């Protein structure tokens, strides 16, 4: 099995550059998720690896082989498309046999391999059906079977779960994770769904605007976002960002003066160049003593009740913040609102949006 | 519920009435095919009774009205030399010593089933084969060219695609009559295809405006992932074309074929201009049955009726393709 290495990979459509020099190492035998908002270039990157898009500049290596100009079928990649792209007039068997047929495999061997793969994916009873007679999840499995049958070095998934309903999505997610463990293959998985990324990935690559923002294990990225984009993109609801004017550092303590005059007292030192404080909703608690907001300075915007917990939205002079509360705990209706911030979980960003003062053990790509 | 069922009944009645109305011309044509020419000025709603062959009728009149070939008759009756057309059948029997029943047996089919008999005896089968060859080849080659053009143009990814497409469509507004003379000269003089069925096929597939239109728009609905998937699976472009694209073209092919087939099948003008009688396709053949001085309407209508039958069968077969949606199941739907 092989790793995939991109060095300074650029993609241009005419004069428009959509990927700006991607340097990326995708680990062998791991599941890597390319995550980013729509239009960030993640699908383009995947299609470049597959060979469906030319590489305008830079190098792409699969294993040790430079494959910039290698035919898609010779790169040792197999792809599962978002809409599955099953051949509609061919039975499940023929769909799965197609890659082998193209390779010129003898018939008896094709038969054997298709049956074997169908067994793994529990497709055996469906082999004689046409794709139109299958459910969404079954079509998905046929598409995976067609990818698996060639024993590719690298599996490429282009948002394969986005067409399934919520329940099936969870099931197929587990299925893919199981297959990855079983086959031990390198898998690259494109999605815009951060839950998929967090649950599936060994390694997450966050992309935005044609740049890699951060590469790392899911929890590393969650706990130590490299910049403001990653911090805001990962986690739902989004991280709270509080822009501030000035900092007064003392020994092991600091007072942060927010825009609008409110002050936050923290039991830690704040980097001098920091301009924004970020804190996730679950790290804000009501009744703490870090930040006290007078009655006339906030309005509650409402709450989202999820059963076990609720997100409360509050409007402050410098913007909105979200607070996570256990279900049943309401915000005080009268008087001042005092909030506590978990000092270890507070993030600081400088004027360019880069994270500061974090344990910098993670790989960081920068804009 | 009562209201809805009344509405439904009314709809069914109206549609059936409309259906019957459209079928009336076909019915009248069918009746005409069995109506003697002598009664062809009247409108018959049922096949009229035939008079038996009278031994008092003149052989010349039979030739004129029923297309009896006088020479073939002479040969069959072993009459040597000139046969006076003014002779009555009874006189012929007497004069040449032929059994009257032998004459009657020979001439009776001409009188009873004149239309069909004339058509079949004068080379219907040969013309039918010629027509099937021309129409079949035109539809198949035309469709193949259309699919190839369509797969290149589908989606109009380049500006010149639209230009090519429009220039094809332009071909549709040029009246075929206008160009028939230059076409004739090119085909006979420069291509050497005089009196060849090839010339008709060539004319039918030229331009291909309709096939391009039909196939381009249909191929545009085929998801491009299918092509990419073939590329990933190790297939070349021709694999995609042969194994994936062609099998999916059933529905547009049915549309294309059912529109163009009647054109090709019923193409009278080009056949008359480019072919000689020994190679005539059905419409030209049927037209040639009408003589110079008299017209055997019964034979003409029989010819039209017989030439309709094969294409009707093909039409009914294509109906199935229309209903089926070929693309179902390719992608999430």
């Amino acid at each position: 099995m092989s790793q995939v290495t991109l060095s300074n990979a650029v993609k241009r459509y005419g004069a428009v550059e959509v990927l700006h020099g991607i340097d990326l190492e995708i680990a062998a035998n791991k599941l890597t998720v390319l995550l980013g908002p729509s239009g960030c270039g993640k699908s383009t990157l995947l299609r470049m690896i597959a060979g469906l898009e030319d590489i305008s500049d830079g190098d792409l290596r699969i294993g040790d082989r430079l494959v910039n100009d290698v035919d898609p079928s010779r790169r040792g990649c197999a792809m599962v498309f978002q809409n599955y792209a099953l051949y509609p007039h061919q039975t499940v068997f023929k769909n799965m046999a197609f890659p082998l047929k193209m390779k010129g495999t003898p018939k008896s061997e094709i038969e054997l391999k298709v049956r074997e793969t169908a067994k793994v994916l529990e497709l055996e009873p469906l082999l004689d059906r046409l794709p139109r007679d299958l459910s969404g999840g079954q079509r998905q499995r046929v598409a995976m079977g067609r990818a698996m049958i060639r024993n590719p070095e690298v599996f490429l998934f282009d948002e394969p779960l986005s067409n399934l309903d919520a329940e099936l999505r969870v099931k197929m997610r587990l299925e893919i994770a199981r297959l990855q463990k079983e086959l031990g293959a390198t898998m690259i998985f494109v999605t815009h769904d951060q839950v998929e990324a967090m649950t599936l990935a060994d390694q997450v690559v966050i992309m935005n605007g044609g740049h890699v923002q951060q590469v790392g294990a899911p929890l590393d990225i969650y706990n130590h976002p490299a910049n403001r984009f990653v911090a805001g993109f990962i986690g739902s609801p989004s991280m709270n960002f509080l822009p501030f004017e000035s900092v007064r550092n003392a020994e092991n303590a600091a007072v942060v003066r927010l825009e609008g005059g409110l002050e936050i007292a923290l039991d830690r030192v704040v980097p001098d160049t920091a301009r924004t404080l970020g804190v996730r909703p679950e790290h804000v608690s009501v009744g703490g003593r870090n930040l006290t907001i007078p009655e006339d300075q906030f309005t509650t915007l409402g709450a989202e009740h999820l059963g076990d917990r609720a997100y409360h939205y509050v409007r402050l002079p410098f913007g909105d913040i979200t607070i996570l509360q256990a279900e049943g705990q309401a915000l005080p209706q009268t008087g001042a609102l005092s909030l506590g911030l978990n000092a270890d979980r507070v993030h600081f960003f400088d004027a360019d949006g880069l994270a500061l003062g974090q344990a910098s053990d993670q790989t960081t790509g920068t804009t | 519920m009562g209201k809805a069922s009344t509405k439904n009944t009314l709809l069914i009645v109206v549609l059936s009435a409309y259906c019957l109305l459209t079928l009336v011309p076909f019915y009248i044509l069918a009746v005409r095919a069995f109506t003697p020419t002598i009664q062809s000025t009247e409108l018959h709603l049922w096949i009229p009774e035939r008079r038996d062959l009278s031994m008092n009728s003149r052989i010349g009149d039979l030739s004129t009205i029923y297309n009896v070939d006088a020479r073939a008759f002479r040969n069959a009756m072993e009459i040597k030399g000139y046969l006076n057309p003014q002779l009555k059948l009874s006189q012929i029997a007497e004069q040449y010593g032929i059994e009257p029943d032998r004459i009657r047996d020979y001439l009776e089919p001409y009188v009873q089933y004149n239309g069909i008999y004339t058509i079949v005896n004068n080379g219907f089968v040969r013309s039918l084969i010629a027509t099937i060859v021309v129409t079949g080849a035109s539809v198949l080659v035309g469709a193949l060219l259309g699919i190839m053009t369509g797969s290149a143009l589908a989606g109009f990814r380049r500006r010149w695609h639209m230009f090519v497409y429009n220039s094809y469509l332009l071909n549709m507004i040029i009246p075929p009559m206008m160009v028939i003379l230059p076409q004739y000269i090119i085909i006979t003089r420069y291509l050497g295809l005089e009196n060849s069925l090839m010339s008709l096929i060539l004319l039918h597939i030229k331009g291909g405006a309709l096939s391009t239109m039909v196939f381009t728009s249909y191929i545009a609905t085929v998801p491009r992932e299918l092509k990419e998937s073939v590329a990933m699976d190790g297939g070349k472009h021709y694999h995609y074309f042969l194994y994936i694209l062609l099998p999916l073209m059933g529905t547009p092919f049915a549309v294309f074929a059912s529109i163009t087939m009647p054109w090709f099948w019923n193409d009278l003008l080009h056949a008359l201009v480019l072919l000689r009688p020994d190679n005539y396709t059905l419409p030209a053949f049927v037209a040639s049955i009408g003589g110079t001085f008299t017209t055997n309407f019964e034979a003409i209508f029989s010819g039209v009726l017989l030439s309709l039958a094969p294409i009707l069968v093909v039409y009914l077969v294509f109906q199935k393709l229309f209903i089926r949606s070929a693309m179902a199941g390719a992608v999430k739907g």
Side-chain angles (χ1 to χ4, degrees), chain A residues 14-87:
Chain A
V16 186
E17 195 172 286
V18 293
L19 290 178
H20 318 281
I22 303 280
D23 287 308
L24 189 57
E25 202 156 284
I26 290 167
N29 311 337
K30 292 265 170 28
L31 202 156
T32 301
V33 170
L34 303 181
L35 178 66
S38 299
C40 70
K42 57 191 190 298
S43 279
T44 309
L45 185 62
L46 190 80
R47 293 168 58 82
M48 276 162 68
I49 296 171
L52 298 172
E53 301 276 357
D54 293 331
I55 298 169
S56 310
D57 224 333
D59 288 345
L60 166 64
R61 284 168 207 279
I62 296 177
D64 299 327
R65 205 153 58 104
L66 182 72
V67 293
N68 276 22
D69 300 315
V70 175
D71 200 60
S73 61
R74 295 178 195 281
R75 293 188 182 193
C77 299
M79 186 148 167
V80 176
F81 292 88
Q82 180 172 9
N83 56 18
Y84 320 142
L86 300 180
Y87 309 133

Side-chain angles (χ1 to χ4, degrees), chain A residues 47 50 52-53 71-74 77-79 81 83-90 98-99 101-102 131-132 139 146 150 156 163, chain B residues 223-236 239-240 243-245 247-248 324-333:
Chain A
R47 293 168 58 82
L52 298 172
E53 301 276 357
D71 200 60
S73 61
R74 295 178 195 281
C77 299
M79 186 148 167
F81 292 88
N83 56 18
Y84 320 142
L86 300 180
Y87 309 133
H89 57 290
Q90 295 185 349
F98 192 80
K101 193 174 150 194
M102 288 295 107
R132 66 162 160 267
R139 286 180 201 176
R146 195 175 60 185
R150 290 193 306 150
L156 307 172
N163 279 340
Chain B
R224 79 173 173 173
E225 280 88 353
L226 289 188
K227 193 173 176 178
E228 292 173 350
S229 180
V230 172
M232 295 291 298
D233 288 345
K236 294 273 175 296
H239 289 127
Y240 167 69
Y243 294 126
I244 310 298
L245 199 58
L248 290 178
R324 211 181 62 196
S325 166
M327 288 306 298
V331 296
K332 160 88 180 173

